[in-house]
Amino acid sequence: MSWFQKLMPSRIRTEGGTKRNVPEGLWTKCAACSAVLYKPELDRNLAVCPKCSKHMPVAARVRLEQFLDPGEKREIAGDLEPVDTLKFRDQKKYRDRIIAAQKKTGEKDALIALVGKLAERDIVACAFEFAFMGGSMGSVVGEKFARAGQECLRLKVPLVCFSATGGARMQEGLLSLMQMAKTSAVLGRMAEEGIPYISVLTHPTTGGVSASLGMLGDINIAEPGALIGFAGPRVIEQTVREKLPEGFQRSEFLLEKGAIDMILDRRQLRDEIAAMLALMMDGEPAKVVSGEVVA
Amino acid sequence: MNPNYLDFEQPIAELQAKIDELRNVGSDNAINLDEEIRRLQIKMRQKIRGIFKDLTPWQISQLSRHPLRPYTLDYIEKIFDEFHELHGDRTFADDHAIVGGLARFRGRAIMFIGQQKGRDTKAKIFRNFGMARPEGYRKALRLMNMAARFRLPLVTFIDTPGAYPGVGAEERGQSEAIARNLQVLSRLPVPVICTIIGEGGSGGALAIGVGDRVNMLQYSTYSVITPEGCASILWKDAANAQSAATALGITSARLKELGLVDKVIREPLGGAHKNPDKVAIRVANCIEAQLEVLGAQTTDQLLDTRYKRLLSFGEFNG
């Protein structure tokens, strides 16, 4: 309160500032171009800035809602919850971190998997919840992804995964590393059966997830401007002791280096993926013998 | 301070120095110091036993990186009757952090892949400290596929701080290279036996570490992240590596308990470097026995068991 306001009698003072009559969170600012955006309109635009096309983060459930056809969906392994096998404790207990993340996101862990339809085709889709401990992959994420893949094998339907993650969940120690092997094994089975897997890499996808299910798509798609890589930029900077070039490890860089098939605007994802799946599943899938052909 | 001994091994180094000194005196003069030397040797063994009885995970982590620890090439020399090194990924380069090739092991033809560290400065740089780049994992991939083609069991040795975090490695697709190996190894139609001989560093280790059997030397470690890396992220200070090493559960004993490792191969008193020949024989015996068992299985059995095992990894409620 300024000295001038203090001088005024309380009758004519406006308490609480000027924002008082505006509901919380109706307006938001684009982190890239600073445009002030009307939230409902931004949501309708799939959280892509209408001014500069900046792709903002979306929660896992919102993402799947946007992607799948409206209508009935069935959640896979929605009841799984993390356990603190190692009794891991750093500055906080892992148990407390789990509880805090569950409260914050309303989710039990960092991956949601749904059976639904895409352009009337049966499909399994899963999405990482980045707000849940940085979308890190522990036992629950690995198990849900594996069950999603198993469901695809059973129903002979394709899998689409949207990743947004910092990598393996350290608090689960080696159990989290093993999720890389587990998820890759299921994708190996799917490859043998000729069941399509499309990996959509969103900002950010790094570490153990990028080095397993992230890069194993029959088709790898990235959203514009996403940070995608194995090692984080800070670790690389410390190793090579130099500043990294502009745009390093961004989607556009990965496309140029041949790591991904395409960059797609979020608003095109549904149509493009549906069209490509239709082509991939046009004929009878080939039965692939394991070994050489999988590579 | 003797650089060939770790911090907590310094009392051993002092006793060893004393023994060496007496030996020199003993050979110079006619005085018989055997009695004294014997006394010191007994004392040293007791000291080692005392120190090694209760090693902390951090101390074990240091042992796994001990400068004198036997490396992959040391084992190759000791346990294979023949080894023909094969180079290159056929696409970009030959990565010296990974060594691979055809081998004859106790009469059997096998394919071998292992990570190699360097002992002196020059060799360390040549081997990039055992940190492979994508071309290393792709060389390994080529050899895996070759193993499948010629029905050769695959034996791998793991000893790496992790995959190399560099600009070129990222440009050439470090993530994809590791991911591809995980997928191919999980479905490779030949027996795969992986042994961690030193440091099992995260995805870089796992990229040649998915198999039907995973063994660990007693004082090797296997972790999702280095204790230092974990400490700097979760404690915001790498100096907390000791606490991180304990929290992460990186030792062979702990991982055996968790069911993530099949067999722990015992090391001699004082660690593998105290008696490399003995360790090599134990490693070879272990692998031979496992090859025997796995070799009796059909390919379908093998792949099915491996798949179920990989899918069983993880702890959760519900």
Side-chain angles (χ1 to χ4, degrees):
Chain A
M1 207 180 283
S2 74
W3 63 271
F4 179 72
Q5 282 175 311
K6 273 182 197 158
L7 283 179
M8 289 193 292
S10 63
R11 228 166 358 100
I12 36 176
R13 246 189 256 155
T14 41
E15 300 274 351
T18 48
K19 277 188 183 164
R20 206 174 167 200
N21 293 325
V22 183
E24 259 325 288
L26 204 50
W27 295 90
T28 186
K29 207 173 185 181
C30 172
C33 72
S34 301
V36 176
L37 305 168
Y38 186 51
K39 199 73 192 305
E41 196 193 311
L42 182 63
D43 291 345
R44 268 196 300 279
N45 208 33
L46 310 184
V48 176
C49 174
K51 302 275 185 321
C52 73
S53 289
K54 160 92 179 166
H55 284 52
M56 300 177 198
V58 275
R61 272 189 208 276
V62 176
R63 165 73 76 174
L64 296 176
E65 207 56 52
Q66 289 173 356
F67 180 69
L68 294 168
D69 294 352
E72 193 113 356
K73 286 148 195 121
R74 173 166 61 84
E75 183 158 2
I76 298 172
D79 53 345
L80 297 189
E81 288 205 58
V83 289
D84 179 15
T85 311
L86 298 180
K87 307 269 169 285
F88 194 99
R89 178 183 196 144
D90 48 87
Q91 288 170 318
K92 271 191 212 157
K93 284 184 189 160
Y94 177 36
R95 275 197 47 186
D96 294 342
R97 285 188 195 266
I98 293 172
I99 293 164
Q102 288 179 333
K103 227 167 140 184
K104 179 174 151 196
T105 59
E107 301 294 351
K108 293 198 170 81
D109 209 310
L111 190 83
I112 314 297
L114 299 178
V115 185
K117 283 184 191 293
L118 174 70
E120 287 161 32
R121 178 190 298 280
D122 289 325
I123 186 176
V124 176
C126 50
F128 279 77
E129 178 54 68
F130 190 75
F132 195 108
M133 295 188 72
S136 54
M137 177 162 71
S139 297
V140 171
V141 170
E143 178 70 13
K144 278 195 183 185
F145 187 89
R147 289 206 200 165
Q150 297 282 69
E151 197 66 5
C152 293
L153 283 163
R154 193 174 67 85
L155 302 171
K156 308 235 177 289
V157 302
L159 176 66
V160 177
C161 178
F162 298 88
S163 45
T165 170
R169 187 174 297 169
M170 279 179 280
Q171 289 85 350
E172 292 190 21
L174 202 69
L175 283 165
S176 68
L177 190 75
M178 290 306 142
Q179 304 312 309
M180 293 171 65
K182 177 169 173 170
T183 54
S184 302
V186 176
L187 292 173
R189 278 289 298 126
M190 285 172 59
E192 284 173 3
E193 300 292 330
I195 293 172
Y197 167 51
I198 294 183
S199 171
V200 184
L201 307 154
T202 79
H203 181 73
T205 299
T206 57
V209 174
S210 151
S212 57
L213 61 98
M215 282 296 167
L216 288 176
D218 292 302
I219 297 175
N220 294 333
I221 300 171
E223 284 193 342
L227 177 78
I228 302 160
F230 176 64
R234 243 184 329 147
V235 176
I236 299 173
E237 247 166 18
Q238 281 163 11
T239 313
V240 300
R241 294 177 198 286
E242 57 185 89
K243 252 231 91 36
L244 297 171
E246 175 105 13
F248 180 66
Q249 293 184 313
R250 296 288 164 173
S251 308
E252 298 70 19
F253 171 91
L254 268 85
L255 182 66
E256 191 192 305
K257 298 295 173 193
I260 56 174
D261 291 280
M262 63 189 80
I263 298 172
L264 286 180
D265 187 295
R266 190 174 292 160
R267 293 160 292 189
Q268 300 172 284
L269 281 173
R270 257 181 66 85
D271 291 349
E272 279 293 316
I273 292 177
M276 290 190 290
L277 284 176
L279 293 170
M280 290 164 87
M281 302 188 83
D282 196 45
E284 272 292 299
K287 185 96 177 173
V288 182
V289 184
S290 48
E292 176 109 289
V293 199
V294 179
Chain B
M1 210 176 109
N2 189 329
N4 284 330
Y5 287 84
L6 303 168
D7 286 352
F8 62 91
E9 290 181 305
Q10 287 306 321
I12 304 168
E14 280 161 29
L15 279 169
Q16 184 65 52
K18 238 183 245 170
I19 293 169
D20 292 346
E21 205 176 304
L22 282 178
R23 278 214 178 102
N24 284 337
V25 175
S27 57
D28 287 351
N29 301 318
I31 327 162
N32 192 347
L33 291 168
D34 288 356
E35 193 60 29
E36 178 65 8
I37 289 174
R38 217 174 4 256
R39 202 184 58 78
L40 281 174
Q41 277 173 332
I42 290 168
K43 196 175 163 194
M44 185 167 84
R45 258 199 296 281
Q46 282 167 345
K47 193 101 215 165
I48 297 176
R49 221 167 261 137
I51 291 174
F52 275 74
K53 202 173 62 187
D54 283 311
L55 290 174
T56 64
W58 175 241
Q59 286 171 332
I60 292 173
S61 168
Q62 288 172 285
L63 266 177
S64 75
R65 311 165 178 168
H66 198 290
L68 297 179
R69 199 168 173 82
Y71 294 151
T72 289
L73 285 174
D74 301 316
Y75 288 102
I76 288 178
E77 199 190 295
K78 289 180 202 303
I79 68 179
F80 293 153
D81 315 319
E82 279 175 57
F83 180 63
H84 309 271
E85 188 173 354
L86 303 174
H87 293 274
D89 69 345
R90 295 289 189 274
T91 306
F92 181 76
D94 183 39
D95 189 329
H96 304 123
I98 289 186
V99 169
L102 293 161
R104 189 168 293 281
F105 168 64
R106 295 193 170 171
R108 285 184 168 82
I110 63 151
M111 183 62 85
F112 176 84
I113 300 167
Q115 283 145 343
Q116 178 64 31
K117 290 180 176 178
R119 218 168 282 288
D120 58 36
T121 308
K122 214 173 132 189
K124 279 186 170 114
I125 292 166
F126 181 69
R127 302 290 178 187
N128 199 32
F129 302 86
M131 294 186 283
R133 298 180 168 94
E135 47 274 23
Y137 296 115
R138 289 181 183 135
K139 167 166 73 178
L141 177 67
R142 182 169 76 84
L143 300 185
M144 290 168 196
N145 285 325
M146 200 202 257
R149 217 154 45 236
F150 299 103
R151 299 274 157 208
L152 300 171
L154 177 64
V155 172
T156 75
F157 282 180
I158 292 158
D159 191 11
T160 180
Y164 185 63
V167 175
E170 293 290 326
E171 284 178 343
R172 298 192 291 280
Q174 189 72 293
S175 286
E176 193 274 344
I178 294 171
R180 187 66 53 199
N181 285 10
L182 303 182
Q183 193 186 55
V184 168
L185 278 176
S186 73
R187 305 301 299 157
L188 203 70
V190 292
V192 181
I193 298 173
C194 314
T195 305
I196 298 149
I197 59 167
E199 250 183 304
S202 193
L206 191 65
I208 60 164
V210 178
D212 303 300
R213 294 287 186 275
V214 177
N215 309 310
M216 275 181 87
L217 282 186
Q218 188 178 4
Y219 300 128
S220 66
T221 54
Y222 197 3
S223 183
V224 65
I225 184 169
T226 59
E228 291 90 334
C230 177
S232 70
I233 294 171
L234 292 180
W235 279 264
K236 318 274 178 228
D237 183 4
N240 284 76
Q242 298 204 22
S243 315
T246 306
L248 284 166
I250 60 178
T251 64
S252 58
R254 188 79 178 94
L255 294 170
K256 179 87 178 17
E257 244 173 50
L258 290 170
L260 299 176
V261 162
D262 298 284
K263 187 160 170 67
V264 176
I265 301 168
R266 268 189 50 238
E267 292 187 32
L269 189 63
H273 56 290
K274 295 291 178 198
N275 195 340
D277 288 330
K278 201 173 189 175
V279 183
I281 290 170
R282 284 183 188 161
V283 169
N285 287 344
C286 172
I287 293 172
E288 188 181 32
Q290 291 172 338
L291 280 176
E292 196 79 47
V293 173
L294 296 172
Q297 297 181 8
T298 65
T299 305
D300 282 349
Q301 268 176 337
L302 197 68
L303 287 178
D304 203 42
T305 315
R306 190 187 306 157
Y307 188 68
K308 286 195 177 116
R309 172 192 155 94
L310 290 172
L311 259 64
S312 76
F313 289 146
E315 302 276 341
F316 44 81
N317 282 333

